[in-house]
């Protein structure tokens, strides 16, 4: 069930640590497997005693994707052992043990259930992205563990976080450090577009890359307006066999899933 990813090397250490301490930090590079493998590795620990794990993601798309990936690793349908809850959408059942949600959803839950009844572990994933909601959610969960639920475990996971400062905030919580897999990266620079348009420059780079390289392209732009504009330009130029999958928060869920699930 657990994939062959670098984070596996520190899972025993993390399991042992959380058996004896209520708070911990996991620092490991992107792609090491933190998001999907850590909750599954901790699910049957004796200290959890049948209670649930809440995994926090900074965005709705990330929450759905993480839940879907973990569900595929368990062999269950989404909503059984692993489910998710985001604004205006959820997939859960009475058997759900890992519930993936955004920080905003957790904050609203705490307003109704300050003790987080039935929850044994709260994991803050991608905490290095830092947001007002993430900071507020962490402050509220810390208050719960201090005043209402000393048995509630708290795990903060990050790829680039200044772990020492967060450890101090968590009462000198121990830090587990994982490793990642390095891959060679070659940089190619484009000259800026004459009209200083990031979309035009990106369009030129995409067309050049498709001509010179095989495989898929992942393109980042500042916002949804630029993504839509580039997608329109590419639709007029790409061959019919090239699949174009825009991805941003306002897209319907089905279109978002097409972008992250397409082989």
């Amino acid at each position: 069930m657990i994939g062959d990813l670098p984070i596996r090397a520190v899972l025993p250490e993390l399991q042992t640590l959380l058996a004896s301490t209520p708070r911990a930090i996991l620092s490991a590079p992107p792609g090491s497997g933190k998001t999907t493998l850590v909750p599954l590795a901790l699910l049957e620990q004796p200290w959890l005693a049948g209670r649930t794990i809440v995994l926090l993601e900074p965005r709705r798309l990330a929450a759905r994707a993480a839940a879907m990936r973990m569900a595929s690793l368990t062999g269950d349908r989404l909503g059984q052992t692993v489910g998710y809850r985001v604004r205006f959408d959820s997939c859960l059942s009475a058997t759900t043990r890992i519930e993936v949600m955004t920080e905003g959803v957790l904050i609203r839950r705490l307003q109704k259930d300050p003790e987080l009844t039935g929850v044994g572990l709260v994991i803050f994933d991608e905490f290095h992205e830092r947001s007002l909601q993430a900071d507020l959610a962490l402050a509220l969960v810390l208050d719960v563990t201090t005043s209402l639920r000393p048995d509630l475990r708290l795990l903060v996971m990050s790829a680039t976080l200044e772990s020492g400062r967060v450890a101090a905030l968590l009462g000198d919580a121990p830090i587990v450090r994982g490793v990642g897999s390095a891959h060679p990266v070659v940089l190619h620079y484009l000259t800026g577009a004459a009209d200083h348009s990031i979309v035009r420059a990106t369009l030129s780079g995409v067309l050049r890359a498709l001509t010179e390289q095989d495989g898929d392209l992942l393109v980042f732009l500042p916002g949804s307006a630029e993504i839509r504009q580039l997608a329109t330009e590419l639709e007029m130029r790409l061959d019919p066999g090239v699949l174009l999958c825009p991805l941003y928060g306002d897209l319907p869920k089905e279109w978002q899933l097409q972008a992250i699930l397409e082989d």
Side-chain angles (χ1 to χ4, degrees):
M1 180 179 67
I2 301 297
D4 188 18
L5 290 170
I7 202 65
R8 290 189 62 187
V10 299
L11 290 179
E13 179 184 357
L14 186 62
Q15 291 169 332
T16 301
L17 186 61
L18 285 173
S20 59
T21 185
R23 300 171 185 173
I25 294 173
L26 174 60
S27 177
S32 56
K34 300 185 300 297
T35 299
T36 53
L37 300 190
V38 167
L40 294 175
L42 298 175
L43 187 58
E44 300 304 330
Q45 291 298 291
W47 52 263
L48 200 59
R51 290 173 295 178
T52 62
I53 295 174
V54 168
L55 174 66
L56 299 177
E57 295 294 334
R59 290 170 300 278
R60 287 176 287 173
L61 175 61
R64 292 193 191 100
M68 293 175 66
R69 176 58 179 163
M70 282 188 285
S72 70
L73 291 174
T74 65
D76 292 337
R77 288 183 292 106
L78 183 64
Q80 292 184 322
T81 302
V82 184
Y84 69 85
R85 187 192 303 273
V86 299
R87 188 176 59 169
F88 306 133
D89 185 24
S90 64
C91 185
L92 302 165
S93 70
T95 62
T96 300
R97 295 282 316 286
I98 300 175
E99 187 173 344
V100 191
M101 63 180 69
T102 56
E103 293 99 346
V105 172
L106 177 66
I107 292 170
R108 289 191 291 274
R109 176 170 175 175
L110 282 164
Q111 292 174 328
K112 298 179 180 179
D113 178 18
E115 295 187 11
L116 290 179
T117 306
V119 176
L121 170 66
V122 178
I123 303 176
F124 284 78
D125 192 24
E126 306 292 355
F127 195 70
H128 58 273
E129 295 196 9
R130 298 298 298 276
S131 67
L132 179 60
Q133 285 193 329
D135 286 358
L136 176 58
L138 180 60
L140 292 175
V141 172
L142 278 173
D143 185 59
V144 171
T145 61
T146 301
S147 58
L148 299 174
R149 290 280 313 281
D151 62 311
L152 180 64
R153 260 56 169 195
L154 172 60
L155 175 62
V156 175
M157 303 196 302
S158 174
T160 59
L161 186 70
E162 293 185 22
S163 303
R165 297 176 63 182
V166 178
L169 177 65
L170 302 186
D172 294 325
I175 302 171
V176 176
R177 300 189 185 277
V179 297
S181 299
H183 300 276
V185 176
V186 179
L187 300 179
H188 299 274
Y189 294 96
L190 298 175
T191 56
D195 59 356
H196 303 289
S197 166
I198 188 172
V199 173
R200 301 297 300 178
T202 306
L203 175 65
S204 174
V206 169
L207 295 177
R208 172 181 165 182
L210 288 173
T211 301
E212 298 178 353
Q213 303 289 332
D214 294 327
D216 301 327
L217 294 179
L218 178 61
V219 181
F220 293 92
L221 285 163
S224 59
E226 292 86 355
I227 295 173
R228 291 193 296 267
Q229 186 179 348
L230 178 62
T232 299
E233 296 283 352
L234 287 171
E235 284 175 349
M236 296 185 293
R237 292 169 170 80
L238 293 180
D239 294 333
V242 178
L243 181 63
L244 180 63
C245 295
L247 180 61
Y248 51 89
D250 293 336
L251 276 174
K253 179 177 69 174
E254 292 74 17
W255 293 15
Q256 293 182 6
L257 294 179
Q258 181 187 28
I260 63 174
L261 295 180
E262 191 65 44
D263 293 330

